[in-house]
């Protein structure tokens, strides 16, 4: 289930249900993909929601990454200006203040052009045009840990 609501605009609810089988028999359980482990790489994580910041930090650390946490774009930029060991930026798109995820990626790439960027958002409708020149994969929240690990691993390979 996904829920998106914006004041003075409206609410969208998406509910996805599994298809039934003709014989109405139970399907075999799907095997859960094992997360691809990190190798101690440093991830700059920018999320304004304290609970999601904590939860995502725990997931990333469990996967073998070192996490630098920031609760705003401004804080993440300050960290990036003093730390040269950042291997990847994982940022929410929508954050309070003057630096959203797209602007943060732009400013960090001005410091370190080679750094991979991944965006996360609970909102839909972000297009390549809205990303401007800071195009990068966009993960919809909530994102399962195995999917997050896969996308991070792919981004670090490039």
């Amino acid at each position: 289930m996904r829920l998106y609501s914006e004041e003075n605009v409206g609410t969208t609810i998406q509910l996805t249900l599994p298809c039934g089988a003709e014989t109405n028999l139970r399907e075999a359980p799907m095997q859960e993909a094992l997360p691809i482990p990190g190798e101690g790489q440093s991830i700059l994580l920018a999320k304004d929601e304290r609970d999601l910041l904590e939860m995502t930090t725990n997931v990333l650390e469990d996967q073998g990454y070192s996490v630098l946490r920031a609760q705003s774009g401004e804080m993440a930029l300050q960290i990036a200006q003093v730390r040269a060991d950042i291997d990847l930026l994982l940022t929410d798109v929508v954050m309070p203040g003057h630096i959203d995820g797209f602007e943060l990626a732009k400013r960090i790439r001005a410091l370190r052009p080679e750094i991979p960027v991944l965006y996360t958002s609970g909102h839909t409708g972000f297009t390549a045009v809205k990303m401007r020149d800071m195009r990068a994969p966009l993960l919809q929240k909530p994102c399962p840990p195995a999917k997050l690990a896969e996308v991070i691993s792919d981004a670090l390979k490039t």
Side-chain angles (χ1 to χ4, degrees):
M1 180 172 153
R2 290 190 180 175
L3 177 68
Y4 172 72
S5 184
E6 191 170 330
E7 190 173 339
N8 297 323
V9 175
T11 301
T12 302
I13 300 172
Q14 177 184 2
L15 181 61
T16 305
L17 301 172
C19 289
E22 284 186 30
T23 58
N24 209 19
L25 298 175
R26 293 192 72 133
E27 295 178 2
M30 292 179 61
Q31 294 295 319
E32 186 174 318
L34 295 174
I36 300 166
E39 298 172 355
Q41 297 97 327
S42 181
I43 296 177
L44 176 54
L45 175 62
K47 288 190 172 291
D48 61 310
E49 298 174 56
R50 186 182 320 266
D51 292 340
L52 286 177
L53 180 65
E54 184 70 30
M55 183 178 67
T56 306
T57 297
N58 292 337
V59 167
L60 293 171
E61 287 176 344
D62 287 348
Q63 292 175 357
Y65 296 103
S66 172
V67 181
L68 303 167
R69 301 161 32 137
Q71 274 194 271
S72 69
E74 289 84 355
M75 185 184 295
L77 186 57
Q78 289 173 355
I79 293 170
Q81 289 170 335
V82 298
R83 296 287 299 257
D85 62 336
I86 299 169
D87 295 304
L88 182 135
L89 170 63
L90 177 59
T91 181
D92 269 349
V93 173
V94 178
M95 290 189 289
H98 300 291
I99 302 178
D100 67 5
F102 298 140
E103 182 64 22
L104 176 61
K106 180 180 177 181
R107 292 188 186 191
I108 288 180
R109 283 251 179 98
L111 299 170
R112 304 248 326 268
E114 76 286 354
I115 195 167
V117 174
L118 297 174
Y119 299 114
T120 63
S121 183
H123 301 278
T124 58
F126 291 111
T127 63
V129 171
K130 290 183 181 180
M131 287 184 194
R132 301 176 293 268
D133 55 344
M134 295 314 307
R135 295 183 182 160
L138 173 65
L139 300 167
Q140 288 292 313
K141 293 189 287 188
C143 179
K147 178 66 176 174
L148 179 61
E150 177 186 341
V151 174
I152 289 173
S153 177
D154 289 346
L156 289 170
K157 290 177 189 174
T158 57

